[in-house]
Amino acid sequence: MPLKKLSVTAVRNLHPVTISPSPRINLIYGDNGSGKTSLLEAIHILGLARSFRSTRLQPVIQHEHQACTVFAEVALASGLTTSMGITRSKQADYQIRIDGQTIRSTAQLADTLPLQLINPDSFRLLEGAPKQRRQYLDWGVFHVEHQFLITWQRVQKSLKQRNSLLRRGRIERSLLTPWELEFCEASERMDAFRQAYLLKLKPAFESVLGQLIELDDLTLSYFRGWDKDRSLQQVLDSQFERDCQLGHTQAGPQRADLRLRIKGMNAAEVLSRGQQKLVVCALKIAQGHLLKERGRQQDCIFLVDDLPSELDEQHRNALCRLLEALNCQVFITGVEAEQLANSWQTDTSLSMFHVEHGHIVQTDRRLE
Ligand SMILES: Nc1ncnc2c1ncn2[C@@H]1O[C@H](COP(=O)(O)OP(=O)(O)OP(=O)(O)O)[C@@H](O)[C@H]1O
Ligand SMILES: [Mg+2]
């Protein structure tokens, strides 16, 4: 869903600005501290109501301002245009409007504007906690399976109830039964959605990875969060005493993970930083392909912050070939305009934006 027009007010050092990005490749260049990442952050806030750089929004809102606003006109697959905007204040409340209507749930933002972020921290997807890989996986499932969100909410609610009963100490097992039934039913369903998605993700990932880097031994597998040979109810029964002692539920989809291994070892412990980044790029581009294949022909927007970081020229070019082939809107930043522009094929149309002290100027010319 490409952005046709983007307006940003009071995000970091950016001066109020409206730009008309290309539906394809947008190169954002400028010196350190000029505001390039801030522009990507603004788009991220529009799609997810939060930043990727800080958990709180307060540091993102411009000093001396009480709120920041991001507004966009978005081209829909139907050929129509919709508008979406978000205002977030220092008091942490937000106002979202899509097509003139006030929206309460950020899920609708994410649904309208699927985003994929690749930045210098991306390697953390491999190295970090399982939660990040679950979020990655669930992003994909959410966008292709409409029932996923409601199922996920059922899992969260029943799990919370079960855990709060477990924390009471010695309790009658029967008290847990209604929540357990709900938890198991929703969890098995959620697992089925995740497994179905993974069946498609694996070949897409392997194909993209093969075009980026040779890592034949790398395997991607899914752990659902409990023993694959038993039902969740059987596992909960067998772990009841331990759950009581710990005061929370050990098994379930809240423990699911994606495992990336090389020769039986955790890929994060074997691969170099650059290799890890390429694996993460392949994971994210594969999701971009799956989103496109879905009936609604939806596209996601790729935000690539600091393209050259960790990547040599050959791999940078390979990544750009894949982004070109995906045929979606890309916002990509770097310090050097030439280096950014030279990574693309000569017939790819590029829009270029120079960022200087928070001012953004469209320069739109291919640097020779
Ligand atoms: N809340 C804020 N209000 C005003 N300015 C801010 C705020 N938060 C950060 N800044 C400033 O915004 C500027 C833009 O930072 P940004 O990270 O976008 O730069 P960049 O162009 O991506 O730089 P680099 O090339 O180093 O990655 C920095 O100079 C930073 O000090
Ligand atoms: Mg930056």
Side-chain angles (χ1 to χ4, degrees), residues 12-13 31-38 53 59-63 335:
R12 303 266 187 201
N13 71 332
D31 295 342
N32 293 136
S34 56
K36 305 178 298 295
T37 303
S38 304
R53 277 204 280 194
V60 182
I61 298 169
Q62 200 160 90
H63 305 316
V335 173

Side-chain angles (χ1 to χ4, degrees), residues 99-325:
D99 221 7
Q101 305 286 318
T102 300
I103 303 295
R104 292 190 191 286
S105 129
T106 55
Q108 206 166 331
L109 277 180
D111 190 42
T112 312
L113 201 70
L115 295 177
Q116 284 285 6
L117 172 73
I118 295 171
N119 72 356
D121 284 341
S122 286
F123 67 91
R124 289 193 204 284
L125 184 63
L126 300 195
E127 202 182 76
K131 184 176 178 191
Q132 296 187 33
R133 290 180 292 281
R134 275 197 301 279
Q135 280 174 346
Y136 159 81
L137 172 63
D138 289 346
W139 182 97
V141 191
F142 166 77
H143 282 292
V144 300
E145 174 51 69
H146 281 300
Q147 288 295 311
F148 180 75
L149 180 61
I150 201 158
T151 310
W152 186 86
Q153 287 164 340
R154 284 177 57 202
V155 169
Q156 297 304 315
K157 188 174 173 195
S158 50
L159 178 64
K160 209 171 142 198
Q161 296 290 347
R162 186 178 193 269
N163 285 344
S164 81
L165 287 169
L166 286 171
R167 276 196 299 275
R168 283 196 202 166
R170 297 218 64 81
I171 45 156
E172 275 292 317
R173 183 78 213 274
S174 60
L175 271 178
L176 290 175
T177 307
W179 292 114
E180 247 172 37
L181 281 174
E182 169 72 356
F183 178 57
C184 290
E185 219 267 319
S187 297
E188 300 276 1
R189 200 167 154 75
M190 186 157 156
D191 173 49
F193 288 148
R194 283 172 168 170
Q195 293 209 33
Y197 183 73
L198 213 50
L199 274 181
K200 292 187 189 150
L201 181 68
K202 259 182 80 136
F205 166 66
E206 282 158 10
S207 156
V208 172
L209 188 71
Q211 295 169 64
L212 265 182
I213 183 172
E214 227 173 285
L215 282 177
D216 293 339
D217 298 329
L218 186 82
T219 58
L220 169 67
S221 63
Y222 164 67
F223 168 64
R224 66 174 175 171
W226 70 95
D227 186 344
K228 66 179 171 27
D229 299 321
R230 289 188 296 166
S231 71
L232 182 54
Q233 186 65 65
Q234 285 171 325
V235 175
L236 293 184
D237 289 343
S238 68
Q239 295 183 348
F240 178 65
E241 289 300 327
R242 185 94 182 108
D243 279 358
C244 280
Q245 282 165 8
L246 293 171
H248 67 260
T249 308
Q250 299 168 84
Q254 75 283 7
R255 286 293 171 87
D257 198 2
L258 285 180
R259 290 177 176 164
L260 287 123
R261 298 190 157 264
I262 292 184
K263 295 188 178 27
M265 283 173 286
N266 185 353
E269 289 170 4
V270 179
L271 298 178
S272 74
R273 205 38 88 72
Q275 287 173 322
Q276 289 183 50
K277 181 163 174 176
L278 290 163
V279 170
V280 173
C281 289
L283 283 168
K284 298 198 167 189
I285 290 173
Q287 285 199 320
H289 280 291
L290 295 190
L291 194 65
K292 238 184 163 59
E293 281 167 18
R294 168 178 108 139
R296 276 166 60 186
Q297 285 284 312
Q298 208 175 14
D299 275 340
C300 63
I301 296 176
F302 271 79
L303 307 177
V304 185
D305 195 22
D306 202 357
L307 171 72
S309 118
E310 314 281 3
L311 300 184
D312 59 38
E313 190 181 355
Q314 181 209 335
H315 289 108
R316 225 163 37 228
N317 291 345
L319 175 61
C320 291
R321 286 302 83 73
L322 286 165
L323 289 169
E324 279 166 342

